[in-house]
Amino acid sequence: MRATEKLSAHLKNRLADLNRAREEGRKIICYTPGGYLPEELVLASGAIPICLIRGGDHSMVELAGSYICRWIDTFCRAQIGYGVSGEDPYYSILDLLVVPVTDNHIRAVMDVLDYHTDMDIFPFGVPHMKEKAALDYYLQGITRLKNRLEELTRNQITESRLREAILLCNRERDLLRKISLLRRSRQVPINSKEFVALNHGSFIADKGFMVEVLESVWEELEGLSPPVQEGPRILLTGSTLALGDSKILDMIKDSGGVVVIEEFAEGIRPYWEDVDLDGDPMAALANCYFMRRIPPAWFRPGRERLEFLIRLAKDFNVAGVIWYQLMYRESYKLESFYFPNMLRKETELSMLTVESDYEASESGPLRTRIEAFIEAIRE
Amino acid sequence: MTDYYDELLAICGFEVEEIDRERPRIEKAFEKLELGDEDIKKAENWVRQNHDIDLVGVRKLLGVWLKELIDLVLAKDEGKRVVYYGFPTIAGPAAAIAAASDEIYCVCPDAVLCYTMGQIFNKLTPILEAGEENGLPPGHGLCSLQQIRVGGLAKGIIPVPDLVLTSSYYCDMGSKTDELLHERYGHPAVYADGSMDSRWGEFPNFLPERADFLGIQLEKVLSKATEVLGVEITKKARYEGASRSRGLFGAVRELVGLIKGAEGQPLSIVEVEVARRLTSGSTSRRFMTDGPQIIAILNQEVRERIDKDIVVVERDAPKVMILMAHFSDPSITRMIENMGLSIPVTVHTTLASRIMKKTPFISGEDLAKEQLERGPFHGSYGEIKRAAEAAQEFDVDGVIFNYIFNCRPIAMLSHLLKQFVQKETGIPVLSLEMDMYDSRTYNESALRIRVEAFAEMLRAKKNLL
């Protein structure tokens, strides 16, 4: 696709573009993934949002061993490695690191970076239950963030600027959603790796540019009539699918599986819901990003997400589910114990749980298990 | 008539008449717990080796834990409505619920199992293994305290509760485990949520909305308890619960104060922790009413030891502070003392002795504020800062930060606490990875070498070599 080539070229130059933007006085606001930072606020302040989504590199995990024990989620340890070493250049150019505190693993990243680096860090809490008090707390958090951004950028986040940003982000979500839904067809016009690349790109690219890319991709795909994909259709879910962590996607593809839908807490932008443009925009942001968002496994109870997975499995007509989690993210580990029964009861589908610590040595056993699973579910 | 368990119960402070009276209950509970003749003999030796049973207070403390175990195992059979709460927890709501009705039995079952099946019987392994088989497999850094809860239920040792109060404001694991259990057994659960979103250096200040939110969540627990149990948690019950808790915390505070003021160490930290954990193990009348009286006996015995100059660790031994004593295996904490290190205090003991000084449980918000001021529920910095303060207050020569590897809020401090405390206080810190509930991997011999080297270093520093 020509549009994705354009995106690749844009991302290649992104760092240089950001440095230029900084020289011109724009602020770079980086944030930890999880889908709880409304990028609209950053855009409306005139700053540039960048999600720190890089992972998959075990050397960064090893490096983190000097700062924290190994019992923290692999991706989060990698962030500590990137953050303290500067190996991920985005950590070196940020003006503010925003941390929506979702669970203790993300909190660990925040605390270690706060202690060991000079980064300016702004945390706000993401409660774990969908209740009015929790919504209020989240709204208070993003309101504090709005004030901090105004102070940092010296730009007022006016209602009209915020609405403009919401429109842009809604457009991005809408396009991602439309592209993703094309995969319900037996003729899958875009493979998972390409879709994930678009998703990851959307965390880093200029928002206006990204929307243009997605428009082009949508136009290209709409007219296509690809052949029916052979091989079992797979729902891939889990805690984090980081930029650079493509091992799982490659292995499924190599084993003859076709990933037709992904659901991840970190690494896949939540695109199922749009921000309402009626009423108070801050309340609308909170409503969309907190209340209507399909929650990750660290919400309690986690039924909503598990039921959503079952709906996805049915809607996308999958033949099996692969649950890809990173080591020591306990919320996912526990749900992976009882979800297979729920899934089987509702859909008669099987699930394979695999784990990674970004180690090269895990590839062999991982590949064998995936191949065996794909064979077992092949019609 | 005597039975195979009489001697053990006598060691644990039971009176003869009490044993005779309770015999049917004891036997029924031991049967459920799969405790036979051999187990009891082993337990006698285990208790003699690891607990200071010369002291009546210690015997009675072990006894009160054992009685609590029997109550827990038989609670449903005896017509109680059972409420479980988690660890660590904000004391208050559970105590108020327990005070609202004598028919409600409100307990942290995993803590009770640790302090009995571990500390007394040294027989936690089958329960841990059952936990591993039922959703919390080994090798994934999952909390062994939660494995004990899951295993206890899976083996039918502890009853399925009528309600679970899940503390969701500190760790993610406890609430997810309760969710797993809810999926399996169907009992209702109420989650008291929170968000540990303080930034480094913010403690002791906190945003008012944080206390508001946590306060609302603590109030929610009481509303749900009323709805599920059909018992109104009145203002009087709140006061009563708080008053009972204050008595217990007061007795613990006195014990900590006695040890702090002593020249040498008159009592092993193992026993101090056996006393202190009454504050988090259960809100039963047994703990809340008998507990302070038993600790008062112990305190008197400690006073006598101080007067007679009796110490349990060599007088000139370097003093260290640890995070907390092992929940289930006293031999590990004993090993540190046997290395010639005096442990006058644990970080968590100092925190427990701080609370309940001022605010009774009037509202969730008051309680939330009090808890945020303590440190650990505030955030990493709060916990570390409090540890540094305690190390200075108790004038220790070293800190052994025996962090629990499978407890994320604590494990994430593995390096930070050492770096911060050493930098701020100049006191050397050994960061020692262990499991506080399960000693199968992190056992005494595995930990001994590291502690020995640290002890040598501290002794050298004190010019004792």
Side-chain angles (χ1 to χ4, degrees):
Chain A
M1 282 181 287
R2 243 177 310 154
T4 52
E5 283 162 20
K6 259 176 75 184
L7 176 61
S8 298
H10 173 78
L11 293 175
K12 218 171 177 178
N13 296 322
R14 186 61 173 150
L15 206 58
D17 291 344
L18 291 173
N19 276 319
R20 263 193 302 278
R22 275 191 97 197
E23 282 164 16
E24 288 161 12
R26 290 185 75 188
K27 302 292 181 189
I28 312 295
I29 311 298
C30 290
Y31 65 97
T32 52
Y36 284 96
L37 180 122
E39 287 182 327
E40 289 89 335
L41 285 174
V42 181
L43 294 167
S45 75
I48 301 167
I50 300 286
C51 181
L52 298 163
I53 193 55
R54 196 169 156 199
D57 181 353
H58 190 68
S59 68
M60 288 299 108
V61 178
E62 273 181 16
L63 201 154
S66 302
Y67 301 88
I68 199 158
C69 67
R70 71 187 170 114
W71 306 104
I72 300 297
D73 168 74
T74 311
F75 172 79
C76 291
R77 277 179 288 147
Q79 295 317 301
I80 290 171
Y82 289 126
V84 295
S85 67
E87 280 289 317
D88 182 342
Y90 292 114
Y91 273 103
S92 306
I93 60 160
L94 59 84
D95 293 292
L96 182 70
L97 172 60
V98 181
V99 182
V101 182
T102 48
D103 72 349
N104 279 313
H105 299 268
I106 288 290
R107 186 161 73 89
V109 175
M110 172 180 82
D111 286 336
V112 172
L113 293 184
D114 213 340
Y115 187 73
H116 286 287
T117 72
D118 295 328
M119 285 177 211
D120 188 0
I121 296 180
F122 183 91
F124 69 89
V126 182
H128 312 97
M129 304 188 72
K130 290 189 176 181
E131 295 174 348
K132 187 184 175 303
L135 174 65
D136 290 346
Y137 191 74
Y138 177 77
L139 178 56
Q140 285 160 342
I142 61 170
T143 304
R144 286 199 307 277
L145 173 63
K146 175 175 174 275
N147 296 338
R148 180 76 184 92
L149 290 169
E150 286 178 336
E151 183 190 289
L152 185 73
T153 60
R154 297 183 184 172
N155 291 329
Q156 212 193 335
I157 301 176
T158 60
E159 199 168 315
S160 66
R161 293 182 78 169
L162 192 50
R163 282 182 192 284
E164 205 179 303
I166 290 171
L167 273 172
L168 187 63
C169 292
N170 274 352
R171 184 65 189 142
E172 182 183 55
R173 282 184 284 262
D174 180 48
L175 286 161
L176 283 169
R177 188 166 57 239
K178 286 199 310 198
I179 294 167
S180 182
L181 285 170
L182 287 174
R183 300 181 297 175
R184 286 185 300 186
S185 160
R186 290 184 69 219
Q187 296 165 281
V188 182
I190 180 169
N191 70 43
S192 180
K193 211 167 170 184
E194 289 167 335
F195 183 75
V196 169
L198 288 176
N199 223 298
H200 286 159
S202 78
F203 288 124
I204 296 167
D206 173 81
K207 193 61 70 189
F209 178 85
M210 189 68 215
V211 167
E212 280 173 27
V213 166
L214 290 170
E215 299 272 12
S216 304
V217 170
W218 169 244
E219 279 166 23
E220 280 183 58
L221 295 178
E222 213 183 10
L224 284 183
S225 182
V228 171
Q229 296 273 324
E230 297 298 331
R233 294 164 64 87
I234 302 290
L235 186 168
L236 179 65
T237 186
S239 52
T240 314
L241 191 60
L243 171 63
D245 182 20
S246 56
K247 189 163 57 183
I248 185 74
L249 289 169
D250 291 338
M251 283 183 186
I252 295 172
K253 185 169 175 271
D254 295 347
S255 306
V258 182
V259 174
V260 290
I261 183 70
E262 316 79 9
E263 196 283 327
F264 281 83
E266 295 163 339
I268 296 292
R269 177 185 294 283
Y271 53 78
W272 297 104
E273 302 289 339
D274 288 334
V275 179
D276 202 337
L277 280 156
D278 298 330
D280 172 35
M282 288 301 287
L285 285 174
N287 190 32
C288 177
Y289 276 82
F290 183 77
M291 281 309 258
R292 285 190 284 127
R293 151 92 193 270
I294 298 299
W298 41 83
F299 266 57
R300 32 262 197 184
R303 269 259 169 183
E304 185 184 346
R305 176 174 150 274
L306 300 178
E307 283 163 4
F308 178 68
L309 287 176
I310 289 170
R311 281 207 306 278
L312 285 181
K314 288 177 180 170
D315 286 357
F316 283 79
N317 193 25
V318 303
V321 175
I322 295 182
W323 182 291
Y324 173 67
Q325 66 191 41
L326 300 181
M327 288 301 286
Y328 312 126
R329 205 69 177 259
E330 69 277 44
S331 301
Y332 278 84
K333 184 68 200 164
L334 288 187
E335 287 194 354
S336 74
F337 177 74
Y338 63 89
F339 180 61
N341 280 344
M342 278 175 70
L343 180 69
R344 192 174 285 278
K345 202 171 147 193
E346 296 286 330
T347 64
E348 295 184 356
L349 294 174
S350 299
M351 181 175 114
L352 171 72
T353 304
V354 289
E355 284 169 274
S356 172
D357 204 30
Y358 293 164
E359 283 200 67
S361 62
E362 68 201 17
S363 294
L366 203 58
R367 184 180 296 277
T368 306
R369 294 189 64 211
I370 290 169
E371 282 172 355
F373 180 72
I374 301 283
E375 273 313 305
I377 62 172
R378 200 183 285 278
E379 285 172 357
Chain B
M1 194 186 89
T2 59
D3 225 319
Y4 65 97
Y5 48 78
D6 286 31
E7 177 59 20
L8 175 67
L9 298 190
I11 295 172
C12 293
F14 279 63
E15 305 293 340
V16 177
E17 313 80 67
E18 208 173 13
I19 299 173
D20 286 339
R21 192 178 61 239
E22 293 290 312
R23 214 172 279 284
R25 293 182 77 237
I26 294 165
E27 286 174 9
K28 192 173 174 188
F30 280 11
E31 196 183 329
K32 280 198 180 194
L33 290 157
E34 296 170 359
L35 291 171
D37 199 357
E38 277 301 306
D39 298 312
I40 301 294
K41 276 184 199 148
K42 282 182 190 163
E44 283 173 27
N45 287 333
W46 181 251
V47 170
R48 284 182 204 281
Q49 279 167 20
N50 291 295
H51 290 285
D52 199 344
I53 55 169
D54 287 346
L55 300 174
V56 176
V58 169
R59 288 172 175 243
K60 287 196 172 290
L61 275 174
L62 294 173
V64 82
W65 276 106
L66 196 43
K67 288 170 194 169
E68 193 67 24
L69 174 67
I70 295 166
D71 290 348
L72 166 63
V73 169
L74 302 179
K76 270 290 175 72
D77 298 343
E78 295 178 342
K80 297 277 186 192
R81 273 175 296 167
V82 177
V83 177
Y84 289 162
Y85 58 87
F87 178 88
T89 197
I90 293 177
I97 293 167
S101 166
D102 284 340
E103 299 308 310
I104 298 172
Y105 179 61
C106 201
V107 65
C108 178
D110 8 312
V112 174
L113 288 171
C114 279
Y115 273 84
T116 51
M117 294 304 284
Q119 292 265 351
I120 297 173
F121 295 102
N122 191 21
K123 203 188 168 189
L124 265 178
T125 299
I127 301 173
L128 284 159
E129 285 172 351
E132 290 171 347
E133 285 161 15
N134 285 276
L136 277 67
H140 298 271
L142 299 176
C143 174
S144 41
L145 190 66
Q146 301 302 328
Q147 286 174 334
I148 291 166
R149 175 174 291 212
V150 173
L153 277 162
K155 284 178 75 67
I157 289 174
I158 58 172
V160 175
D162 296 287
L163 176 65
V164 170
L165 318 179
T166 297
S167 47
S168 176
Y169 37 74
Y170 185 64
C171 77
D172 302 293
M173 178 89 205
S175 40
K176 291 308 283 186
T177 303
D178 281 332
E179 188 181 324
L180 180 148
L181 292 172
H182 164 77
E183 289 294 331
R184 177 158 182 180
Y185 300 103
H187 55 269
V190 54
Y191 301 83
D193 199 18
S195 181
M196 305 266 282
D197 58 357
S198 301
R199 64 166 300 178
W200 193 263
E202 192 178 335
F203 180 80
N205 301 320
F206 52 85
L207 295 166
E209 52 260 45
R210 208 174 148 197
D212 289 346
F213 178 49
L214 184 54
I216 289 169
Q217 294 294 308
L218 294 172
E219 288 290 345
K220 180 180 75 177
V221 168
L222 298 182
S223 306
K224 182 74 175 178
T226 300
E227 180 195 318
V228 173
L229 304 167
V231 173
E232 202 185 336
I233 320 296
T234 60
K235 207 170 176 181
K236 195 178 159 203
R238 293 179 186 215
Y239 273 105
E240 174 61 20
S243 157
R244 290 179 193 174
S245 300
R246 268 203 305 281
L248 192 52
F249 277 99
V252 171
R253 195 160 54 239
E254 192 182 343
L255 177 59
V256 173
L258 281 170
I259 292 170
K260 187 182 176 189
E263 283 284 317
Q265 191 182 329
L267 180 71
S268 167
I269 198 73
V270 168
E271 319 303 0
V272 178
E273 292 275 89
V274 170
R276 178 175 74 84
R277 285 285 173 219
L278 295 180
T279 60
S280 47
S282 176
T283 56
S284 68
R285 271 193 183 276
R286 194 184 290 291
F287 271 23
M288 294 292 160
T289 313
D290 297 356
Q293 292 170 18
I294 293 168
I295 298 173
I297 295 170
L298 182 63
N299 289 348
Q300 183 53 36
E301 290 177 305
V302 169
R303 266 187 222 100
E304 286 165 15
R305 279 191 172 181
I306 292 169
D307 291 345
K308 290 176 187 164
D309 224 10
I310 297 171
V311 290
V312 294
V313 181
E314 202 178 324
R315 193 172 303 283
D316 293 329
K319 286 198 289 183
V320 296
M321 179 176 75
I322 60 175
L323 176 70
M324 61 172 106
H326 203 286
F327 264 55
S328 61
D329 187 343
S331 72
I332 291 173
T333 315
R334 287 263 175 214
M335 175 271 289
I336 300 175
E337 291 176 337
N338 292 341
M339 289 284 112
L341 294 175
S342 167
I343 314 173
V345 71
T346 70
V347 176
H348 284 198
T349 307
T350 62
L351 296 174
S353 61
R354 272 173 192 275
I355 67 168
M356 295 287 173
K357 273 185 180 167
K358 41 182 189 176
T359 324
F361 179 31
I362 301 163
S363 71
E365 193 186 334
D366 289 332
L367 190 57
K369 283 179 184 162
E370 186 190 64
Q371 294 294 326
L372 290 172
E373 285 165 10
R374 276 180 71 199
F377 292 129
H378 188 288
S380 301
Y381 178 76
E383 185 146 17
I384 288 175
K385 181 81 177 159
R386 283 289 189 225
E389 287 170 1
Q392 285 178 312
E393 186 188 335
F394 278 78
D395 193 24
V396 295
D397 301 299
V399 174
I400 297 179
F401 178 45
N402 50 335
Y403 69 88
I404 313 170
F405 84 100
N406 47 12
C407 173
R408 302 300 177 287
I410 289 178
M412 74 165 72
L413 311 179
S414 58
H415 294 47
L416 284 174
L417 187 140
K418 179 182 166 79
Q419 287 151 349
F420 182 85
V421 173
Q422 287 187 164
K423 191 176 164 196
E424 295 293 312
T425 69
I427 298 170
V429 178
L430 169 68
S431 205
L432 185 68
E433 181 168 296
M434 62 187 287
D435 184 333
M436 216 63 83
Y437 317 105
D438 173 7
S439 51
R440 287 174 299 172
T441 305
Y442 295 83
N443 54 33
E444 185 204 329
S445 42
L447 300 168
R448 178 185 291 270
I449 294 170
R450 296 198 62 203
V451 174
E452 203 163 26
F454 189 62
E456 286 296 322
M457 187 271 284
L458 292 182
R459 267 195 293 276
K461 218 176 161 198
K462 282 195 91 175
N463 295 321
L464 289 177
L465 282 178

